[in-house]
Amino acid sequence: MDGLVMTGQLLLGLSILIILHEAGHFFAARAFGIRVEKFYLFFDAWGFKLFSFNYKGCEYGIGWLPLGGYVKISGMIDESMDTEQLAGPPEPWEFRSKPAWQRLIVMLGGVTVNIVLGIFIFWMLTLKNGETFIPNDKLPDGIAPGLIGKEIGLQTGDRITAVNGKPIVRFDELTSSKVLLGNSELSVVRGSEIKTIQVPGNILEKVSDLGIGQFVEPRVKLSGIVQVAPGGNAEKAGLQVGDSILAVNSKPIVFYDEFKSEVQANKNKVVALSLVRENKTLEIQTQVAEDGTIGIAIPQYFNVPIETVEYGFIGSLPVGASKAWGSFMDNAKGLGKVATGQVKANKAFTGPIGIATMFGGTVNWVKFWSLVGLLSMALALMNLLPIPALDGGHAVFLLIEMIKGKPLGDKFMERAQMVGFVILVSLMVFVFGSDILKHVIN
């Protein structure tokens, strides 16, 4: 059932993004009197389609191959490689007969809609929910670094006060792009000393492998058990909701990270838990599973201070726009990391399986629209890449035409589209393959 919910959310999210992206091209073309022959959600490869109808000279439909969508614009060499219509003289309603500046607007119509959509989604989410965060200066016990954090020199109880010299107001800034994109500097208060910790350029790869929890988390005191997994080791041992754990193998436990560390150090072993139940002290032994868990849920952020800032209709717009633009720039910087070899491509890119996993097996509309907003900005960036067959590639050729004063030849455009098609297919195969391999291994 979880898989169906994930798939359904993925298809719904992608459908929204594809339809609106292609609508950007469609309405821009129509505004300049250019004929649009087809408008498809998903590809009708080899002529197979799930559904179609004709309205005012345009065929609207749903293809069977969910790898994107397209609008077929008359008089344009695109990924369909239909060059027959170019054999005759240009018609006034064709793409090729229009001025270069109009064609450029048509090609950038999809990207423009994606950016506007991303801003609108983050605007509305900010208006409805405000911003909830953990104030960094209200964590008296500092941080609990994971394997990655310890590797770069962080220690339990450190208080990270600044990134690249700028004070940290919100704890989630430590897990934002300005840190995770690497080559950044953390100012750390350790006891009475102030230290500087360098974050390496490849930290994103390690976070991709081990998870963000292995970088840094707030250090919080251990709370009582709120859930015991049915049939798990904890239930078999007799642990109950409300139990408060005091020690593991006679080692006193105060903080959540101490409990997690001690249990994970005893994978596939039996541990002795000292706990309090209804004012009585008990000793219970339980088996630790291979993944370092015993089958209980304890609130990780128990008693962590939470603050919420609410915004009005106008005030939420710049905040939402900043979030949208920030995600766009984060993706651009991430691509730069891949291009310079600081981050491996298979660590940076996520395919449909990974995206579906992000949506999750339950429907949470705030999470759903947040992901759609992020994907909208990512789609805008990817389409701006100067690869033939993408909007960015078409835009580059049109800019060259505007500088030269005459269009590039049809033969050149055909070959460029073929090269672009090969590049895109290769990228898709790589991303899909990495996605599948990543989830098979995990």
Side-chain angles (χ1 to χ4, degrees):
M1 187 63 182
D2 286 355
L4 289 175
V5 174
M6 287 182 191
T7 303
Q9 291 188 89
L10 174 66
L11 289 176
L12 176 60
L14 291 180
S15 296
I16 292 169
L17 294 175
I18 293 166
I19 289 172
L20 292 178
H21 177 92
E22 299 304 333
H25 296 305
F26 178 88
F27 287 112
R30 285 290 183 88
F32 293 124
I34 302 171
R35 181 180 296 173
V36 181
E37 300 173 12
K38 287 185 175 184
F39 188 134
Y40 264 76
L41 169 65
F42 306 146
F43 292 108
D44 55 336
W46 300 290
F48 295 106
K49 50 198 170 187
L50 302 179
F51 168 78
S52 70
F53 67 93
N54 284 277
Y55 179 71
K56 292 187 177 182
C58 181
E59 180 182 329
Y60 301 85
I62 301 176
W64 65 273
L65 188 61
L67 297 180
Y70 72 98
V71 289
K72 182 169 174 49
I73 299 174
S74 296
M76 174 183 169
I77 298 177
D78 57 16
E79 58 271 18
S80 69
M81 297 306 296
D82 181 8
T83 57
E84 292 183 10
Q85 60 182 321
L86 303 180
E91 299 290 346
W93 36 263
E94 286 187 329
F95 180 82
R96 57 180 171 156
S97 69
K98 302 298 179 180
W101 67 269
Q102 291 186 4
R103 286 178 279 144
L104 182 62
I105 290 174
V106 171
M107 294 317 306
L108 294 179
V111 169
T112 302
V113 168
N114 282 134
I115 292 175
V116 171
L117 174 63
I119 292 173
F120 178 77
I121 288 174
F122 285 111
W123 178 18
M124 291 297 103
L125 288 172
T126 303
L127 174 63
K128 184 178 186 302
N129 303 305
E131 290 187 294
T132 300
F133 61 94
I134 299 171
N136 189 59
D137 62 350
K138 293 183 180 178
L139 293 173
D141 297 306
I143 63 162
L147 294 174
I148 301 169
K150 291 176 181 177
E151 186 177 306
I152 68 171
L154 293 172
Q155 295 181 11
T156 301
D158 282 351
R159 290 179 55 246
I160 304 175
T161 58
V163 177
N164 296 327
K166 295 183 179 180
I168 298 171
V169 177
R170 307 179 181 195
F171 181 81
D172 59 13
E173 293 178 59
L174 292 175
T175 55
S176 68
S177 61
K178 59 186 175 184
V179 175
L180 295 184
L181 286 175
N183 299 322
S184 50
E185 186 177 273
L186 305 179
S187 299
V188 175
V189 175
R190 183 177 298 163
S192 60
E193 297 181 292
I194 298 178
K195 295 185 174 293
T196 299
I197 302 292
Q198 301 295 329
V199 180
N202 66 342
I203 193 169
L204 194 59
E205 280 192 17
K206 297 177 181 180
V207 169
S208 175
D209 287 334
L210 301 177
I212 190 63
Q214 290 297 336
F215 178 48
V216 63
E217 295 176 337
R219 194 172 203 216
V220 295
K221 289 183 169 60
L222 192 66
S223 67
I225 298 172
V226 295
Q227 184 178 356
V228 178
N233 291 332
E235 185 183 63
K236 293 175 183 176
L239 288 168
Q240 298 178 11
V241 172
D243 289 348
S244 296
I245 298 172
L246 303 177
V248 178
N249 291 337
S250 300
K251 183 176 181 179
I253 299 295
V254 176
F255 295 99
Y256 177 85
D257 63 283
E258 293 175 330
F259 170 76
K260 185 171 70 172
S261 176
E262 195 64 30
V263 171
Q264 289 183 343
N266 288 278
K267 295 177 181 179
N268 295 318
K269 297 179 182 178
V270 174
V271 293
L273 304 179
S274 301
L275 55 89
V276 173
R277 177 185 300 163
E278 298 177 352
N279 297 320
K280 294 180 181 179
T281 303
L282 302 175
E283 294 287 335
I284 292 179
Q285 292 191 335
T286 184
Q287 176 75 34
V288 180
E290 186 177 357
D291 62 354
T293 63
I294 60 175
I296 60 174
I298 298 175
Q300 184 176 353
Y301 293 151
F302 178 73
N303 280 342
V304 170
I306 302 291
E307 292 185 5
T308 299
V309 179
E310 295 184 352
Y311 300 91
F313 185 78
I314 301 300
S316 57
L317 174 56
V319 177
S322 176
K323 290 179 180 179
W325 184 246
S327 71
F328 184 92
M329 292 306 298
D330 288 348
N331 282 309
K333 292 173 183 175
L335 284 177
K337 291 280 185 181
V338 173
T340 56
Q342 295 183 62
V343 177
K344 294 178 182 176
N346 63 328
K347 306 293 185 183
F349 298 123
T350 299
I353 299 175
I355 296 172
T357 303
M358 292 179 194
F359 279 109
T362 58
V363 178
N364 180 320
W365 289 113
V366 172
K367 182 179 181 180
F368 173 84
W369 285 112
S370 296
L371 283 170
V372 170
L374 291 171
L375 289 172
S376 189
M377 301 307 293
L379 183 61
L381 175 64
M382 294 304 294
N383 272 281
L384 278 176
L385 295 178
I387 299 175
L390 287 180
D391 299 344
H394 288 289
V396 168
F397 293 145
L398 285 167
L399 290 172
I400 293 173
E401 176 184 335
M402 293 168 73
I403 294 170
K404 289 180 60 179
K406 62 179 182 179
L408 299 172
D410 289 345
K411 287 295 183 184
F412 171 83
M413 293 299 293
E414 288 178 37
R415 293 191 182 100
Q417 288 298 314
M418 287 295 295
V419 171
F421 180 75
V422 171
I423 292 173
L424 289 180
V425 170
S426 300
L427 284 172
M428 289 175 67
V429 170
F430 173 78
V431 170
F432 273 71
S434 297
D435 206 25
I436 293 170
L437 186 62
K438 189 184 303 180
H439 287 83
V440 167
I441 291 175
N442 290 340

